[in-house]
Amino acid sequence: MDLSTEPKSLLLDKDYLNDLRRQMFRFALLQISDTAAAEDAVQEALAGALKNAESFTASAAFKTWVFAILKHKITDHFRRQKHLTSEAVDIDTPSDLDDPFKAIGLWSAGKRPGVWPNPDQALEDKHFWRVFDSCLEHLPGQQARVFMMREFIGLSADEICESLSLSVSNLHVLLHRARLRLRGCLEEHWFKVNRP
Amino acid sequence: MMNCRRATRLMSESKERPLSATERMALRVHTMMCSACRRFDGQLDFLSQAAQRYKSKPNPDDEPKA
């Protein structure tokens, strides 16, 4: 394994860190026009991400993680400013816009889980991982964050709740939505497309 | 009332906490009758599996260091 791509050692690389910081700042500035506030959000996101850098052995996952935290910080900023939610920021609405269920709670026709032939094979395919990466990036900020804390880092529900000041039921809702959305995205963009 | 939304919610929650006997029974009855939710159950496990593997996947666009 190429140790030079591990986030822990990457973060000691000044060039990598500056590059990441620059990308994050550009992203934050698109949504927060206040440069000082954008810088603060980036700083806090990096500090928060560094605490868990040890859990990641690959830079791609770590970067997704960092940006998920950044989106959350940006959301916090808007809440503090008491602005109405900015369209550019992914805000988790009470009823998720991507709900795959009909009003009576049954699966919508186009969203019913289909058969996934040989899913284990997908894990060996680099194209699958590109799709997975993309699906992860399309999760709303808070959903991405809790999903990664739970499934990547392996924090317990209580640990996540305490860390993010969430109620347990809040967490369950977020994880449910994240899993529904991620599963749906993978089916739509991989398993439906790659039938043998 | 057990419908697919509730069933998937319970399946998701079972990854964070144990379900009660009543919940498990109601879920089992539903998945016996609903093939979509049966599939969801297995696919949920796949998500966890993929997440675990993802951590150690290198960035596909990384050039090998010279």
Side-chain angles (χ1 to χ4, degrees):
Chain A
M1 179 170 63
D2 182 11
L3 292 174
S4 62
T5 60
E6 276 198 2
K8 237 173 61 185
S9 38
L10 273 175
L11 288 169
L12 297 175
D13 179 345
K14 253 183 7 189
D15 290 332
Y16 176 83
L17 198 53
N18 283 334
D19 193 47
L20 181 62
R21 192 191 288 268
R22 220 173 297 126
Q23 286 176 47
M24 288 169 74
F25 181 71
R26 225 178 6 234
F27 178 85
L29 209 54
L30 283 174
Q31 296 167 67
I32 307 175
S33 37
D34 177 352
T35 49
E39 262 168 17
D40 282 345
V42 169
Q43 196 54 37
E44 286 176 39
L46 273 176
L50 282 174
K51 279 193 219 155
N52 286 299
E54 297 216 354
S55 292
F56 294 92
T57 55
S59 59
F62 180 70
K63 200 163 159 186
T64 306
W65 164 244
V66 173
F67 271 85
I69 300 181
L70 182 59
K71 284 187 206 171
H72 185 67
K73 296 291 175 195
I74 291 172
T75 310
D76 279 352
H77 166 82
F78 280 113
R79 287 214 186 99
R80 276 196 301 269
Q81 303 292 96
K82 294 189 177 36
H83 286 176
L84 294 173
T85 59
S86 157
E87 272 162 44
V89 179
D90 281 325
I91 302 288
D92 290 326
T93 55
S95 65
D96 200 34
L97 295 170
D98 228 23
D99 196 18
F101 301 106
K102 299 189 281 206
I104 46 170
L106 304 179
W107 292 100
S108 291
K111 310 271 186 173
R112 273 174 75 85
V115 176
W116 289 4
N118 299 315
D120 293 337
Q121 261 174 40
L123 297 176
E124 307 302 326
D125 189 333
K126 71 168 188 250
H127 300 294
F128 168 79
W129 290 109
R130 272 189 231 258
V131 172
F132 188 87
D133 202 1
S134 182
C135 286
L136 212 50
E137 304 231 338
H138 278 85
L139 286 180
Q142 190 69 308
Q143 287 179 25
R145 201 159 171 224
V146 301
F147 180 80
M148 292 179 85
M149 285 171 96
R150 181 74 188 115
E151 301 276 11
F152 283 43
I153 299 175
L155 297 176
S156 73
D158 287 338
E159 285 170 328
I160 300 171
C161 287
E162 192 179 328
S163 166
L164 302 180
S165 302
L166 290 173
S167 69
V168 173
S169 79
N170 226 283
L171 176 67
H172 286 314
V173 169
L174 285 169
L175 283 171
H176 183 212
R177 286 179 183 166
R179 286 164 175 153
L180 280 171
R181 212 185 254 253
L182 190 58
R183 192 219 70 83
C185 181
L186 289 177
E187 174 152 334
E188 203 60 38
H189 299 288
W190 181 259
F191 290 103
K192 267 188 181 161
V193 175
N194 290 278
R195 290 216 181 289
Chain B
M1 196 221 114
M2 186 59 69
N3 54 36
C4 301
R5 180 189 282 120
R6 178 116 184 88
T8 57
R9 169 73 183 259
L10 278 180
M11 287 187 267
S12 174
E13 267 188 55
S14 73
K15 289 187 156 285
E16 276 71 62
R17 64 164 182 94
L19 300 183
S20 71
T22 323
E23 286 172 325
R24 269 184 283 128
M25 176 67 96
L27 183 56
R28 199 164 298 151
V29 168
H30 178 88
T31 53
M32 276 198 309
M33 299 186 297
C34 181
S35 55
C37 286
R38 267 202 310 275
R39 285 177 219 132
F40 181 86
D41 201 11
Q43 290 162 5
L44 203 58
D45 289 336
F46 176 83
L47 287 184
S48 297
Q49 217 189 328
Q52 279 306 297
R53 290 265 288 230
Y54 183 74
K55 269 166 40 174
S56 49
K57 280 283 155 192
N59 188 330
D61 299 321
D62 270 346
E63 296 297 335
K65 301 255 177 199

